[in-house]
Each structure stands twice: as C-alpha cells, then as structure tokens.
Amino acid sequence: MKHAFRIAALLMLAVPAIARAEAADPAGRISAYDDAVIGVMKAKLGAAARADRFEPIVKAWYDMPTIAGLVAGPAWASASAADKATAIAALTRHSAVSLARNFKDYDGTPFRVDPKVIERGPDRVVKVAIGKDVLYYRMRQSAGSWKIVDVISSGVSNLALQRADLATTIQSGGLPAMAKKLAQLDAVK
C-alpha cells in the first residue's frame, strides 16, 4: 500500500512538470496537437461532429484573438469588444470546420514533428511531415504557452489567405460582416 501511494505521489508531481515542459516547448505542443487531431480522425465521425470535436482543440492550441486581429487588419483597432468577441467566435468555428474538412479519417500515416524548432523573432516555427505533405506551424507565446498563429502549407500562409479572402467583406461591413460571411462559408456542405 505504501508503495502504491509513493507511485501515485510521484505521478502527481510528474504530471505538472510534463505539462510545463509541453507549454515551454513548441515542438511538444505541436506533437500534443497532432495527437488530438489524430484522435478526432480515428473517431470516424461525420463532418458536423468532427467540427464540434475540433472546436475545443482550436481554442486550446490556437491564439484565436491574435489570429482574428491579424485577419481583420486595421478594422480590429476600432471595433467594439462585442464585435471582436463575435469575430473570434466565428473564426474559431470556421477553423474547426476547416479542420473537419481537411482531416476526415486516419489512414495510419504518421505525423512527424521535427524537434528542431526555427526561431523567427518572438515566434517559433515547427515543421510537421504528414506523408509527403509538410506543414509549418508558426507559434507565439500566449498566456504562458505556445499557441499557433499561422499554418503554412506548400509555401502558402493560411493567415494570408484568410486575410485576402475577407478583406473586401471587412472593408465594407466590418467585423460583423466577416462573422456573417464565415458562417455562410461554414454552412456549405
């Protein structure tokens, strides 16, 4: 009994240390993110259920306020707190729907995280190979852990694409129009 108690006590001490190490290590964060993505893929759910499962993953691993501000551009500075919150929620849902569309089921292809992290000023870039495809996750410190702020695939920034796709909408109708357009895009099957 004393032995079991000691093991339990050691495990309780180790878990926070592991969590701190993961929070401090961008490659470790992406490895945990990949495990979460694979878990959803292995569940073999329909598109809507996958999007629902991806939404908390997006909230946990992505810096959605920073992403929303970068996508919105200059309109972000003058937007109300309510409009910002609506835009963040819409972009979070849109990101979850996009993940659900891109990661449907798991065929066993490993996600290989390169442990060599690239430093770009305050950002860190983590390379992940999925079969022949390569993704680069640009990360930034937020609330004490590394969070994703962009994903680059085939040399193309997802953040830049979103900003370009939504620029006219934001310019003509602000953040409420952006949220409305994202909801329309997400409704398309």
Side-chain angles (χ1 to χ4, degrees):
M1 184 69 154
K2 287 182 182 180
H3 182 67
F5 177 75
R6 279 189 215 139
I7 291 173
L10 287 173
L11 286 174
M12 287 174 42
L13 293 172
V15 170
I18 292 168
R20 281 192 305 276
E22 180 212 288
D25 173 28
R29 285 280 294 161
I30 291 299
S31 183
Y33 168 76
D34 288 346
D35 290 345
V37 169
I38 290 169
V40 173
M41 292 167 58
K42 285 181 174 179
K44 299 182 181 187
L45 303 168
R50 276 194 320 278
D52 290 344
R53 293 274 299 273
F54 276 124
E55 195 160 342
I57 292 169
V58 169
K59 289 176 182 176
W61 272 278
Y62 288 74
D63 185 349
M64 294 312 295
T66 295
I67 292 169
L70 292 169
V71 168
W76 189 257
S78 60
S80 70
D83 285 348
K84 287 179 180 179
T86 299
I88 291 166
L91 199 53
T92 298
R93 183 63 185 175
H94 181 69
S95 297
V97 169
S98 295
L99 285 170
R101 289 177 178 154
N102 291 323
F103 294 101
K104 296 178 182 173
D105 54 45
Y106 187 62
D107 65 2
T109 303
F111 287 45
R112 297 186 198 284
V113 178
D114 187 338
K116 184 180 177 198
V117 175
I118 303 163
E119 292 187 25
R120 294 276 154 76
D123 295 347
R124 301 296 180 266
V125 179
V126 179
K127 177 181 173 183
V128 177
I130 307 169
K132 293 180 181 180
D133 297 319
V134 177
L135 299 174
Y136 293 90
Y137 291 91
R138 191 174 98 195
M139 305 181 77
R140 188 171 288 165
Q141 277 284 333
S142 177
S145 67
W146 290 98
K147 298 243 181 170
I148 299 165
V149 292
D150 195 9
V151 181
I152 298 101
S153 175
S154 301
V156 180
S157 159
N158 187 55
L159 185 62
L161 284 175
Q162 288 179 324
R163 188 168 179 167
D165 289 347
L166 296 168
T168 303
T169 301
I170 294 167
Q171 190 173 29
S172 65
L175 298 185
M178 177 182 112
K180 182 177 178 182
K181 181 168 184 172
L182 290 172
Q184 290 168 346
L185 291 172
D186 296 341
V188 177
K189 303 267 183 206

